[in-house]
Amino acid sequence: MYQQQDANIVTFPTAQPEGKKGFVMITNELLEASCKVKLSSRQHNILNAVIRKTIGFNRDFDWLAPQQIAELIDYDGDISHIYADLRVLKSRNILVADGKSIGVNLNVSEWELKKPVAKTSRKVPQNKQKTASNSGNSLAENSQHTSEKPLKKVAETCHLQNTIIHTTNNITPCSPPAGETSPKTEQVKPKPRSTKKRATAAPEDFPVTAELIQWASEKSIQVDLVIETEKFLDYHRAKGSTFKCWASAWRNWMRNAQKFANERGLVVPMQAQQTTTQTNWNTDLGW
């Protein structure tokens, strides 16, 4: 509303009413897409947080730590859930990445609005189902004819056994020596199943957990964990290596990387070590 003080002078109120102080300007197309997309409650909150931190500040991308997102959406659960939801939003083309920064994909036609359908078990073709039903009917019809044959065989076997018992009645069975058991009565124990863990190839998505980051901090690993993790996976994928525990192989790689860095004099200064926090490592390893 404006206030007219003079015929030629029009003044507008400078103060904004309550409820309209500060706002995010987004297109109707983006707003409608955010209403239609099928996401979990936490994923919707993460999407709104990214919109607030990027479009809300007139930016296309911003460097957002998962801890910062968790604080913005008031989430106090495991931070790995934020990592997982960010990967889902990226895989469905809702969020896009530019290096370590993320933003909203403004081309909403590329969004995957519906959740991916899980793979189901293989269906049996109809012709096979028909043949199976036909074979079942034929088996039911022939069951009466085939049931008589086993009965005749059982009767013949019983008659044969009775004959053997009567003919060998006068022969004393040979008993084994004292302290030994007959090999026929000795029970064979089944072999226990092997519980050894099998070696596997490099995983497509290697999780650098909070425990691994804590281990690197305690062991004073000063190399770039993000770059070294990429080298680690690329090297073993190219060689086709297999390990029973990829977390142990990752720790061994980081020890060697730190050893090589010390030998080459590529050691991070003490001031840089103090400014490098566990939060930055968590953030770098999430992308």
Side-chain angles (χ1 to χ4, degrees):
M1 297 295 294
Y2 65 89
Q3 299 174 356
Q4 185 171 3
Q5 296 178 351
D6 193 359
N8 299 324
I9 300 176
V10 179
T11 60
F12 293 87
T14 56
Q16 293 182 347
E18 290 294 334
K20 293 186 178 180
K21 293 182 178 179
F23 55 88
V24 178
M25 297 181 63
I26 62 176
T27 62
N28 293 335
E29 187 180 11
L30 178 59
L31 181 59
E32 292 171 0
S34 65
C35 295
K36 295 178 182 179
V37 67
K38 305 301 181 184
L39 298 172
S40 66
S41 177
R42 186 173 60 237
Q43 291 170 355
H44 259 298
N45 293 339
I46 293 175
L47 175 59
N48 290 331
V50 176
I51 291 175
R52 173 69 183 92
K53 289 296 184 179
T54 55
I55 301 176
F57 289 92
N58 296 324
R59 299 175 182 173
D60 293 333
F61 297 91
D62 194 8
W63 185 80
L64 297 175
Q67 291 81 0
Q68 184 180 1
I69 295 176
E71 182 178 356
L72 187 60
I73 66 176
D74 194 20
Y75 179 71
D76 55 357
D78 194 341
I79 199 66
S80 62
H81 297 160
I82 304 295
Y83 283 114
D85 288 336
L86 287 172
R87 286 194 292 268
V88 170
L89 292 172
K90 291 178 185 177
S91 65
R92 295 177 60 180
N93 297 324
I94 299 171
L95 297 183
V96 290
D98 183 14
K100 296 181 181 179
S101 301
I102 58 174
V104 180
N105 185 4
L106 300 180
N107 187 4
V108 296
S109 62
E110 298 178 354
W111 286 21
E112 188 175 346
L113 298 178
K114 296 182 180 180
K115 293 182 179 180
V117 179
K119 295 182 178 179
T120 57
S121 58
R122 186 179 179 183
K123 295 183 179 180
V124 180
Q126 294 182 356
N127 56 356
K128 290 187 178 180
Q129 292 180 355
K130 291 180 180 179
T131 54
S133 61
N134 294 333
S135 61
N137 295 331
S138 61
L139 288 174
E141 293 175 356
N142 297 329
S143 60
Q144 296 179 354
H145 302 286
T146 57
S147 60
E148 298 177 356
K149 295 180 180 179
L151 292 176
K152 293 181 179 179
K153 291 184 178 180
V154 171
E156 294 175 359
T157 304
C158 292
H159 178 70
L160 203 61
Q161 289 179 352
N162 292 332
T163 306
I164 295 173
I165 291 171
H166 288 303
T167 55
T168 59
N169 229 355
N170 299 327
I171 302 174
T172 56
C174 180
S175 58
E180 296 184 6
T181 58
S182 175
K184 293 184 179 179
T185 60
E186 189 176 1
Q187 296 182 353
V188 180
K189 295 183 179 179
K191 295 182 180 180
R193 293 184 179 180
S194 176
T195 57
K196 293 182 180 180
K197 188 176 181 181
R198 295 183 178 180
T200 58
E204 292 294 331
D205 186 11
F206 178 77
V208 181
T209 60
E211 288 78 10
L212 294 178
I213 298 174
Q214 181 65 27
W215 172 87
S217 177
E218 294 174 355
K219 298 299 181 180
S220 300
I221 302 299
Q222 303 170 17
V223 296
D224 191 325
L225 296 182
V226 176
I227 296 176
E228 291 299 329
T229 300
E230 293 177 352
K231 291 180 180 178
F232 164 73
L233 293 174
D234 289 342
Y235 175 80
H236 289 296
R237 284 169 182 164
K239 286 191 65 178
S241 305
T242 57
F243 291 106
K244 295 182 179 180
C245 180
W246 280 94
S248 300
W250 182 88
R251 288 192 292 266
N252 191 33
W253 180 281
M254 293 304 165
R255 292 191 192 98
N256 292 332
Q258 185 61 45
K259 177 182 177 181
F260 297 151
N262 293 338
E263 293 175 354
R264 298 173 184 173
L266 302 176
V267 180
V268 179
M270 187 60 65
Q271 294 180 355
Q273 296 179 23
Q274 296 175 355
T275 57
T276 302
T277 63
Q278 183 178 355
T279 301
N280 292 335
W281 284 357
N282 285 336
T283 302
D284 292 343
L285 292 173
W287 306 111

